[in-house]
Amino acid sequence: MAKRKEETPPAGSPAWMATFSDLMNLLLCFFVMLFAMSSIEEAKLQEFVAAMNNTFSVFDGGASAIGDGFLISNGVSQLNELDQYINSTGKVADSETDGEDFEEYEMSPEAMEEILTDKMLAENEERVEQIEEALSENDIADEVELSFTAQYVKLTMNGGLLFDSGSALLKDDAKLIIDKVGLILERYGNGGIIEIEGHTDNVPMHSAQYPSNEELSSARALSVFYYLTETTTLNPLNLKHAGMGERVPIADNSTPEGRSRNRRVEILIYNPSQS
């Protein structure tokens, strides 16, 4: 029987080593490309270094702690000087920080305003949902229109529903509606500023009592103001009234429908955070 001849390995490095070397080269090129594509903003880096240095003395304090610092040079006595060592690295002793808050990260006024606006918008959106439910429960959802911004929630009532043409005296039916609105204001508006605005269309107003739309709109706002102060527990100091005349239309004054919409009374419930 013939003997099997033992095969001798080929000269040079094993085949797997060449494959492994290629893989390492590819990985190296990949990370070099990632590093080249990234960018470091020097200003932000310097700001971070300064913040760490001022707050914790990571760089200055750390250097002094190695060598002549209390922790290394004093040996066993370092435990007795621990408070002094902590102070030397930028951290204030407990006796100096009792009852004080840590300094917060400085935020730009624009960022703070944006956060506050988002918060107020969410609060007013929730308030609108609650008022909508209350209007439905009191069967006046069709008589009161709701809208809101971050600053306020607005209740709009048609002027023809509240007043006769050219008059600022509340109708008897209007008082029933405002009674229910007043209860809603007591529940969801007390604590913040409430402003009552009177609005008219652009048809010129000429009468002995109200010579212009400015006087008529002011008188109508004042009538609602007086009625609410007399029939509710709202704080009069939180109530405001203003006559806007024809200056803020919400519809086209060239049509009867538009003029009817512009003759209105608006009650603005300002978000308490506004102050």
Side-chain angles (χ1 to χ4, degrees):
M1 183 176 180
K3 293 184 178 180
R4 180 182 301 177
K5 188 176 180 179
E6 185 177 355
E7 296 181 358
T8 59
S13 302
W16 66 267
M17 186 174 295
T19 303
F20 183 79
S21 299
D22 291 339
L23 178 61
M24 291 299 101
N25 288 333
L26 289 174
L27 287 176
L28 177 61
C29 292
F30 175 75
F31 285 110
V32 168
M33 288 179 61
L34 286 181
F35 180 80
M37 292 170 61
S38 66
S39 61
I40 300 176
E41 297 185 16
E42 185 177 354
K44 290 187 177 181
L45 179 61
Q46 293 297 332
E47 183 179 351
F48 171 78
V49 172
M52 294 296 292
N53 188 27
N54 293 336
T55 305
F56 300 106
S57 293
V58 172
F59 301 102
D60 295 340
S64 64
I66 299 176
D68 295 333
F70 294 103
L71 192 61
I72 302 299
S73 61
N74 291 344
V76 177
S77 64
Q78 63 184 352
L79 296 178
N80 298 327
E81 305 292 344
L82 183 58
D83 287 340
Q84 189 174 358
Y85 164 72
I86 292 176
N87 287 335
S88 72
T89 58
K91 195 172 182 179
V92 183
D94 292 341
S95 61
E96 298 179 6
T97 58
D98 289 343
E100 296 182 4
D101 296 330
F102 290 105
E103 183 179 357
E104 297 181 356
Y105 176 76
E106 185 176 355
M107 186 178 297
S108 67
E110 292 79 9
M112 293 180 63
E113 183 177 358
E114 183 178 355
I115 292 174
L116 178 60
T117 299
D118 291 342
K119 173 179 177 293
M120 292 167 56
L121 191 63
E123 291 174 349
N124 283 348
E125 184 175 8
E126 181 180 358
R127 187 173 289 111
V128 163
E129 294 176 355
Q130 295 170 339
I131 294 177
E132 281 180 342
E133 184 177 351
L135 291 174
S136 298
E137 291 175 353
N138 286 279
D139 298 323
I140 57 172
D142 294 335
E143 285 78 16
V144 181
E145 182 180 338
L146 275 178
S147 60
F148 72 99
T149 67
Q151 286 71 37
Y152 56 75
V153 174
K154 182 193 297 182
L155 289 74
T156 302
M157 294 174 287
N158 187 273
L161 184 69
L162 304 179
F163 308 98
D164 290 325
S165 179
S167 172
L169 295 177
L170 286 169
K171 297 179 180 180
D172 291 337
D173 292 342
K175 293 179 181 179
L176 298 177
I177 297 174
I178 297 180
D179 284 337
K180 296 178 180 180
V181 170
L183 294 175
I184 294 174
L185 294 178
E186 287 177 337
R187 184 173 182 181
Y188 300 108
N190 229 340
I193 298 297
I194 298 176
E195 184 171 12
I196 304 161
E197 293 182 351
H199 298 263
T200 66
D201 56 26
N202 66 345
V203 177
M205 176 68 187
H206 297 292
S207 70
Q209 190 172 9
Y210 308 113
S212 72
N213 284 324
E214 292 292 333
E215 281 83 0
L216 178 61
S217 63
S218 296
R220 288 182 171 180
L222 195 57
S223 292
V224 177
F225 168 82
Y226 282 143
Y227 190 81
L228 288 175
T229 57
E230 293 170 358
T231 60
T232 68
T233 59
L234 293 171
N235 187 351
L237 296 177
N238 292 338
L239 294 179
K240 299 168 59 178
H241 57 86
M244 307 302 293
E246 62 190 62
R247 290 172 283 137
V248 191
I250 58 173
D252 187 1
N253 274 310
S254 64
T255 64
E257 294 79 9
R259 290 193 294 271
S260 177
R261 288 196 63 198
N262 289 332
R263 296 190 296 268
R264 67 197 188 277
V265 170
E266 296 178 344
I267 299 178
L268 284 68
I269 306 172
Y270 284 92
N271 192 303
S273 300
Q274 180 80 359
S275 57

